[in-house]
């Protein structure tokens, strides 16, 4: 199944006999929080207007654990994650569509977590709520019934720090952050700037067109091929804290290239002074 769904396709499916379950994952970027920009209340924005039937899920509370040695957005406790998903109505037998305000990063984090824990049919709304031209509803939506989804994680889609370091030497490790953070020119959040030695700069912002939607699959495939990716060799991705990196994993999936995510990402790696740091445009 495709990893994304268009707004027109979603409207058609919602009107059909087996409509997908909708999850609203609106969220403020960590960089915006660090820069002191006005706080964004995702739940309040959801209550003011969301796609009819969508259930709100909080990224920081439900799709990540507490910030610490494992990074700013480590894996959530899977017992808690499973409970939240079931309360939202998630079952393995029903397709799920996730969306956010439009950037796609938060929705991709939900997509990645559900896929990693075994859900067989989850897609991201391409362009998010910003692309949706249909009706909205206000207030809180509740599922008709609790779901039955039980997370069963796999070991294929996930990297730890040692695995990321090894992949940077033996395969392809992509850094999804802005190029200036990769080079170490600036570092607005973490202890030190730079990148994991051997990682290749591949900002996920370049996977998106001007209208906020992902670029066509053939364009994405061409881009990733130029960076050294293929469907036959291992590919991994990291970012600042495992959110924008999930968006790059999504773009790779659309391009037909499977990839694993280093969830701890730079926020975990850079917090350990024993880990090597490379700077400048060269991977090494």
């Amino acid at each position: 199944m495709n990893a994304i769904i268009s707004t027109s396709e979603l409207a058609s499916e919602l009107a059909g006999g087996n409509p997908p379950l909708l999850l609203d994952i609106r969220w403020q970027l960590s960089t915006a929080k660090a820069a002191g920009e006005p706080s964004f209340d995702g739940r309040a924005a959801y209550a003011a207007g969301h796609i009819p039937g969508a259930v709100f899920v909080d990224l920081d509370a439900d799709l990540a654990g507490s910030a610490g040695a494992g990074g700013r957005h480590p894996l959530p406790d899977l017992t808690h994650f499973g409970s939240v998903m079931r309360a939202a109505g998630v079952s393995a037998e029903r397709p799920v569509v996730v969306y956010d305000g439009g950037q796609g990063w938060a929705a991709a984090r939900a997509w990645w977590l559900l896929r990693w824990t075994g859900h067989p049919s989850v897609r991201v709304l391409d362009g998010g709520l910003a692309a949706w031209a249909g009706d909205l509803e206000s207030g809180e939506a509740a599922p008709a019934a609790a779901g039955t989804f039980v997370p069963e994680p796999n070991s294929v889609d996930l990297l730890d720090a040692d695995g990321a370091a090894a992949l940077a030497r033996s395969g392809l490790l992509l850094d999804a952050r802005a190029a200036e953070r990769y080079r170490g020119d600036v570092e607005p959040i973490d202890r030190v700037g730079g990148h994991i030695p051997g990682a290749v700069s591949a900002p996920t912002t370049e996977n998106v067109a001007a209208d906020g939607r992902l670029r066509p699959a053939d364009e994405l495939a061409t881009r990733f091929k130029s960076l050294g990716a293929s469907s036959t060799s291992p590919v991994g991705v990291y970012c600042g804290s495992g959110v924008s990196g999930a968006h790059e994993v999504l773009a790779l999936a659309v391009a037909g290239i499977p990839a694993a995510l280093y969830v701890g990402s730079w926020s975990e790696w850079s917090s350990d002074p024993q880990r090597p740091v490379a700077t400048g445009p060269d991977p090494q």
Side-chain angles (χ1 to χ4, degrees):
M1 174 172 284
N2 197 352
I4 59 173
I5 182 172
S6 69
T7 53
S8 60
E9 289 170 333
L10 177 59
S12 178
E13 291 192 14
L14 289 174
N18 184 34
L21 178 72
L22 296 174
L23 301 180
D24 184 311
I25 324 285
R26 274 178 277 178
W27 173 76
Q28 184 185 34
L29 300 180
S30 296
T31 50
K33 297 174 187 176
E37 293 183 11
S39 61
F40 171 77
D41 189 332
R43 187 175 291 277
Y46 160 84
H50 55 265
I51 299 176
V55 178
F56 180 75
V57 175
D58 188 302
L59 187 151
D60 289 314
D62 303 324
L63 305 182
S66 298
R72 284 191 305 280
H73 292 104
L75 291 173
D77 175 83
L78 291 185
T79 299
H80 173 74
F81 173 68
S83 177
V84 169
M85 292 297 101
R86 290 189 294 275
V90 176
S91 296
E93 299 77 21
R94 185 179 181 185
V96 175
V97 171
V98 295
Y99 71 88
D100 56 26
Q103 188 176 41
W105 294 8
R109 172 72 176 218
W111 167 84
W112 181 85
L113 272 169
L114 281 166
R115 189 183 72 157
W116 172 62
T117 54
H119 198 287
S121 177
V122 54
R123 291 165 290 173
V124 171
L125 179 61
D126 198 17
L129 188 65
W132 177 255
D135 294 335
L136 298 178
E137 69 176 9
S138 59
E140 294 275 343
T148 59
F149 180 69
V150 177
E152 296 181 357
N154 69 67
S155 60
V156 176
D157 298 324
L158 178 67
L159 291 171
D160 60 11
D162 289 339
L167 187 58
R169 297 188 298 269
S170 64
L172 177 66
L173 182 65
L174 299 176
D175 185 318
R177 298 172 301 157
E180 59 268 24
R181 292 185 70 191
Y182 170 89
R183 294 191 301 267
D185 299 345
V186 298
E187 181 43 63
I189 307 175
D190 295 311
R191 184 183 67 85
V192 63
H195 57 270
I196 297 173
V200 174
S201 180
T204 198
T205 52
E206 296 181 16
N207 295 319
V208 180
D211 63 2
R213 294 175 173 86
L214 281 171
R215 296 187 183 279
D218 57 346
E219 290 186 19
L220 292 172
T222 298
R223 182 196 183 207
F224 290 125
K225 183 178 179 180
S226 72
L227 294 170
S230 75
S231 59
T232 57
S233 60
V235 178
V237 179
Y238 75 97
C239 57
S241 67
V243 179
S244 66
H247 184 265
E248 184 127 292
V249 174
L250 173 71
L252 283 155
V254 171
I257 301 170
L261 177 65
Y262 171 27
V263 173
S265 285
W266 190 247
S267 59
E268 177 187 39
W269 183 279
S270 64
S271 69
D272 182 354
Q274 301 303 312
R275 295 279 180 187
V277 171
T279 57
D282 186 84
Q284 301 300 332

